[in-house]
Every structure is written in structure tokens, then in C-alpha cells.
């Protein structure tokens, strides 16, 4: 096999394309819809492929067969991309729509965890905003209010400091979704988050390195949640003992639950968790690799990823070993901010609200280096070949080093040579020490990290 199709268009997708080509010198990756700013002779964008229409991929594959298809975008997974391509006879790595619902419906994911012994915060699901507010008013701890489905910028989760905050979040979502409202009110856990990744073949799981994702928009972890402003890997608390604990508490019961429910899940699973004194607690299941964690985890993998995908399709992951370089990485997202903060007429910028696009990007032509990478997300070439911004998160700049500090320094040094109007980024990615884990539930006398009793 010397060709694959990756279905994605994010920095994660670029990192996957890089993984295929870097670990297999004979591999050519078709990347649909992809990104035409990527400058690599064996990564070929296919803009005619739509993330929400699998028939566009089938049209491409009819004229150019590939060895396998790797679907890594939740928009594509949730509409049944894997199901449709497999029905047409293609070899596909990725969860079916039914399996991807563990991410596309937060209530489905929470209930799956509760049913299969995966620790989750106490939670309840509501479609009536009045009942949701009645429930949250009697909680003995702070809470998080989440919409049930996918949100375009990762902002469907509101971490609440007070009952008033929680009621405002319920009102906001009720106004936004109307009669289709479905939301979750869950116990708020504070402490160190961790991103846990595994490659699944339907029966077995291969753990990948952990990461720490910075989901808040502003320095000091302030501001609203978003798709993420950067990541570091490995996680600051990483250790063999922690990895064993994560597998036992989260990944092994997840695989058992998938088998028990007959869910067809191949490819990457990503469990977002909180490290509590009683062990890891899952806050979400994702049916693909994290973004921007892919940009700091996947570049460290030196195993032939094509062979791992073949092992996934054959159900033979235990026969293979994951080899990584053991280096530290720090990724910083460059996003489209406000063009003129002094003007009340200017768009406020991503992810706060409307933002400009089509801004020229400079500095991407610097020669490649082993210690720095730039992964492309929402950036496209215009008719003259000039890279221009095309969305909220534009680029992910990744530094690599023997220490976390060196990786961080290299990322920010590279950022100094890139610019576009309104460019914004957090200046503290990788700078904050690992937090001490405390839970609000503990302070209130509620047991955290246990499977809740369903009401």
C-alpha cells in the first residue's frame, strides 16, 4: 500500500498526513478537503471532498483508488462517513456513526461511561430549562453546563463559578436552541486536566502519549472554553504508573463497553479527564484525536503508522509496539483576532464572536527545521499563491526539545517570524506548573471519581 486518503482539514489532519509520510517514505497521502498551503510533495490536497458529504469522497475514490481511508474529523464521522465508504467496499479506519455518537452526543457519552464503570462527574440531562435551573439551584457544589451536541468552536461547555452563572448558561442555550434544547448539568471538578489517547482495532487498545490541552481563550486559563489554544506533550504528570492507572480506569472499560454494545470503533479515541485524589475522572469521550494535541503527540511517533493502520484493520494491534522519540513538545495556536481593537465597529475576533478572514499570512516560507513545525488549519492560498486566513484557528506552531522549557522557547521563537493582521495567541502555553488536584465535590462531602447513581 503506497496511498491513503485522510479525511480532515485541521491542524490534526495535517499532523496525521505528516505521520503517514514521515514514517513511510513511500507513502503518498491524499488529504481531503485538506489545505493547499501545505508544502509537501507527498501530501496532495483534494478540495472537492466535503467533510459532510461522503459521496464526494466516493467520487474521488472511483477515479483514484487508495490502500485505505482514515477519517479523523468528527463532522465527517458523525454523518456516517465510515459507514458509507465501507458499504461501498473501501477499507476505512474510523468509528461508525453509532460509535461516533459517544462524542456527537454528550449525554450518550456520559451514559455510556456510567453504564460501563468509567468514572464520571455526577450529571443530569435536561430538555426543559426550568427543570435544569431547579436542579442546579440545589446542588451542593459548583457545576458545568454543556450542550448535548457538537458546537462549531468548542464553546458548548460553560464552567460556572456560581448558580447565577449556571442559570445564565441555561438561558443562553435555551435561547440558542429553542425546542431542540438538550443540555447536561454536571459536577464541576477542578484540578489537572489530561488528554488520554488510544488507537483501537475493535478488540484492543494501544495507548499513545498523554498531553495537556489549554482550552481557555486567555492567559492564566481565563475566558471561555474554545477548541484549544495550545498543548504540551507529554503531560506534566506523565509516568508509567499514571499510564497504567489511565488504562485501567478509562481505556480498558471503554473497550469492554464498546464490545458489549456492539459498537464498531476503529481508529483513535480521546478521553478528556481530570486527575482527582480518587483517580482519573472522564469528562468527555471523543471519537478522534484531539486538536491541538495531535500536533504535539503524533510528531513524536516513529513507528510506521501505515503498518499500525493495517494492524487495526486486521485486529492485530497487540502484535505491534508503539515507538516514540521521548522528546517534549509545545504547540501554540495562532488565531484570527480583532483587526482593530480600538474600533467599536471591528469584528471582535475568534472565538469571542465574528472575525475577519482573508488576511495575508507572512513567514511560512522559512526553511524546515527538526526542532520546529508549523501545522496548517484555517489557511488557504489565493489566486496569486499568497497564504490567507480562512477561519478562527489559523496555524499551530510546535517547538520540540529535550526539556519542556526548550520546546516552549522554540515554539515562541518561531512565532516571532509569522504574522497576519489580527494575529492572536496565548503567551503562557507550557509555562504554568501542574496544578494541585482538588475537587469541589470533595469539599461538599460528595464522592468524586465514582460512577453516579442514575435518578
Amino acid at each position: 500500500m503506497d496511498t491513503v486518503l485522510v479525511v480532515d482539514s485541521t491542524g490534526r489532519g495535517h499532523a496525521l498526513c505528516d505521520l503517514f509520510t514521515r514514517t513511510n517514505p513511500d507513502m503518498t497521502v491524499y488529504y481531503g478537503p485538506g489545505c493547499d498551503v501545505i508544502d509537501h510533495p507527498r501530501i496532495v490536497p483534494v478540495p472537492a471532498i466535503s467533510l459532510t458529504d461522503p459521496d464526494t469522497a466516493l467520487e474521488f475514490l472511483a477515479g483514484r483508488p487508495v490502500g485505505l481511508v482514515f477519517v479523523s474529523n468528527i463532522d465527517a464521522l458523525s454523518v456516517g462517513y465510515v459507514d458509507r465508504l465501507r458499504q461501498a467496499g473501501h477499507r476505512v479506519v474510523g468509528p461508525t456513526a453509532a460509535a461516533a455518537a459517544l462524542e456527537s452526543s454528550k449525554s450518550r457519552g456520559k451514559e455510556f461511561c456510567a453504564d460501563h464503570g468509567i468514572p464520571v462527574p455526577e450529571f443530569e440531562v435536561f430538555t426543559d430549562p426550568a427543570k435544569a435551573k431547579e436542579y442546579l439551584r440545589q446542588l451542593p457544589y459548583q457545576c458545568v453546563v454543556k450542550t448535548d451536541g457538537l458546537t462549531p468552536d468548542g464553546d458548548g461547555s460553560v464552567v460556572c463559578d456560581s448558580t447565577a452563572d449556571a442559570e445564565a448558561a441555561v438561558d443562553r442555550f435555551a435561547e440558542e436552541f429553542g425546542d431542540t434544547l438538550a443540555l447536561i448539568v454536571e459536577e464541576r471538578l477542578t484540578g489537572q486536566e489530561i488528554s488520554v489517547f488510544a488507537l483501537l482495532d475493535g478488540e484492543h487498545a494501544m495507548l499513545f502519549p498523554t498531553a495537556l490541552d489549554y482550552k481557555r481563550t486567555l492567559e492564566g486559563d481565563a475566558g471561555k472554553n474554545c477548541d484549544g489554544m495550545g498543548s504540551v506533550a507529554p503531560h506534566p504528570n506523565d509516568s508509567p504508573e499514571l499510564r497504567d492507572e489511565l488504562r485501567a480506569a478509562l481505556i480498558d472499560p471503554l473497550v469492554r463497553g464498546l464490545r458489549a454494545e456492539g459498537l464498531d470503533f476503529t481508529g483513535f479515541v480521546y478521553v478528556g479527564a481530570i486527575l482527582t485524589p480518587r483517580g482519573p475522572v472522564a469528562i468527555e469521550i471523543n471519537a478522534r484525536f484531539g486538536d491541538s494535541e495531535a500536533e504535539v503527540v503524533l510528531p513524536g511517533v516513529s513507528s510506521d503508522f501505515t503498518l499500525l493502520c493495517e494492524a487495526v484493520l486486521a485486529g492485530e494491534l497487540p502484535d505491534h509496539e508503539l515507538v516514540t522519540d521521548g522528546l517534549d513538545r509545545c504547540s501554540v495556536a495562532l488565531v484570527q483576532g480583532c483587526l482593530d481593537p480600538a474600533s467599536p465597529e471591528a469584528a471582535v475576533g475568534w472565538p469571542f464572536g465574528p472575525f475577519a478572514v482573508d488576511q495575508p499570512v507572512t513567514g511560512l516560507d522559512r526553511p524546515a527545521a527538526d526542532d520546529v513545525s508549523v501545522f496548517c488549519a484555517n489557511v488557504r492560498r489565493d489566486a496569486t499563491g499568497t497564504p490567507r486566513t480562512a477561519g478562527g484557528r489559523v496555524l499551530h506552531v510546535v517547538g520540540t526539545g529535550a526539556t519542556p522549557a526548550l520546546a516552549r522557547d522554540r515554539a515562541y521563537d518561531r512565532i516571532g517570524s509569522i504574522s497576519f493582521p489580527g494575529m492572536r495567541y496565548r503567551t503562557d502555553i507550557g509555562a504554568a506548573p501542574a496544578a494541585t488536584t482538588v475537587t469541589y465535590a470533595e469539599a461538599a462531602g460528595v464522592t468524586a471519581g465514582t460512577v453516579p447513581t442514575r435518578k
Side-chain angles (χ1 to χ4, degrees):
M1 178 175 60
D2 58 3
T3 57
V4 301
L5 169 64
V6 171
V7 179
D8 209 329
S9 65
T10 63
R12 170 192 54 240
H14 187 182
L16 277 165
C17 293
D18 173 76
L19 178 60
F20 272 113
T21 57
R22 180 172 47 78
T23 61
N24 184 335
D26 298 320
M27 177 59 66
T28 295
V29 179
Y30 296 105
Y31 184 28
C35 175
D36 60 6
V37 176
I38 297 172
D39 185 16
H40 192 291
R42 291 184 287 117
I43 300 176
V44 183
V46 188
I49 290 178
S50 166
L51 293 176
T52 56
D53 184 0
D55 285 344
T56 59
L58 289 174
E59 290 172 9
F60 170 79
L61 293 168
R64 196 171 314 226
V66 302
L68 68 85
V69 181
F70 197 107
V71 185
S72 58
N73 187 286
I74 186 56
D75 293 334
L77 294 167
S78 63
V79 300
Y81 232 93
V82 171
D83 312 63
R84 183 77 177 90
L85 269 58
R86 282 186 181 161
Q87 288 167 2
H90 296 286
R91 305 170 75 234
V92 188
V93 175
T96 61
L102 297 178
E103 175 176 359
S104 59
S105 169
K106 294 184 182 70
S107 60
R108 171 72 171 111
K110 294 284 185 189
E111 289 160 355
F112 176 90
C113 289
D115 289 343
H116 297 289
I118 302 170
V120 288
E122 182 74 40
F123 72 94
E124 288 293 336
V125 181
F126 298 92
T127 57
D128 183 337
K131 290 183 178 179
K133 288 194 281 188
E134 180 182 351
Y135 171 78
L136 62 86
R137 287 175 191 141
Q138 54 82 39
L139 290 176
Y141 44 74
Q142 292 169 304
C143 70
V144 180
V145 179
K146 299 179 176 181
T147 58
D148 183 62
L150 300 172
T151 52
D153 296 312
D155 60 352
S157 176
V158 180
V159 181
C160 305
D161 293 324
S162 65
T163 301
D165 288 345
E167 291 194 48
V170 171
D171 288 338
R172 171 194 146 193
F173 290 139
E175 181 179 357
E176 182 176 350
F177 293 98
D179 292 341
T180 64
L181 176 71
L183 54 82
I184 296 96
V185 178
E186 71 177 40
E187 166 196 5
R188 174 179 169 178
L189 304 177
T190 61
Q192 191 66 69
E193 291 195 28
I194 188 168
S195 299
V196 185
F197 306 102
L199 184 64
L200 308 184
D201 67 5
E203 294 288 333
H204 317 95
M206 173 184 283
L207 284 182
F208 272 57
T210 57
L212 173 63
D213 184 30
Y214 291 74
K215 291 184 172 64
R216 297 294 191 98
T217 56
L218 302 174
E219 275 78 358
D221 281 333
K224 64 189 289 189
N225 275 350
C226 65
D227 282 334
M229 295 296 293
S231 295
V232 297
H235 190 278
N237 290 351
D238 183 68
S239 70
E241 294 76 18
L242 177 60
R243 291 193 293 274
D244 288 344
E245 186 177 13
L246 294 169
R247 174 181 278 279
L250 305 177
I251 300 301
D252 287 347
L254 185 146
V255 173
R256 289 194 296 268
L258 293 171
R259 287 201 302 261
E261 296 196 15
L263 293 175
D264 188 344
F265 197 128
T266 59
F268 285 115
V269 67
Y270 152 34
V271 181
I274 300 275
L275 300 176
T276 78
R278 290 179 174 85
V281 179
I283 54 176
E284 62 181 8
I285 296 176
N286 299 276
R288 37 76 198 182
F289 219 99
D291 182 18
S292 60
E293 297 100 321
E295 291 89 314
V296 289
V297 173
L298 299 183
V301 173
S302 52
S303 301
D304 186 330
F305 191 62
T306 305
L307 292 181
L308 291 183
C309 288
E310 290 288 357
V312 166
L313 293 172
E316 297 175 350
L317 268 183
D319 296 339
H320 295 261
E321 179 182 1
L322 182 71
V323 180
T324 63
D325 62 15
L327 296 174
D328 289 279
R329 286 177 173 82
C330 174
S331 174
V332 182
L334 307 185
V335 309
Q336 181 64 70
C338 181
L339 297 183
D340 184 4
S343 170
E345 307 296 325
V348 294
W350 187 90
F352 307 105
F355 55 88
V357 294
D358 204 35
Q359 305 306 306
V361 181
T362 61
L364 296 182
D365 53 355
R366 182 162 144 178
D370 291 338
D371 54 13
V372 177
S373 302
V374 178
F375 292 104
C376 298
N378 289 296
V379 58
R380 301 291 181 269
R381 292 195 187 276
D382 65 16
T384 69
T386 300
R388 291 184 176 272
T389 64
R393 289 194 301 179
V394 179
L395 300 165
H396 300 265
V397 180
V398 181
T400 301
T403 66
L406 187 55
R408 182 176 185 276
D409 288 346
R410 286 171 173 166
Y412 281 103
D413 178 70
R414 180 67 175 94
I415 288 171
S417 64
I418 299 172
S419 67
F420 53 86
M423 186 174 87
R424 186 179 74 83
Y425 56 92
R426 277 183 57 168
T427 61
D428 62 345
I429 304 299
T436 300
T437 303
V438 179
T439 71
Y440 286 109
E442 272 198 308
V446 178
T447 301
T450 59
V451 178
T453 300
R454 306 302 303 136
K455 298 178 181 177

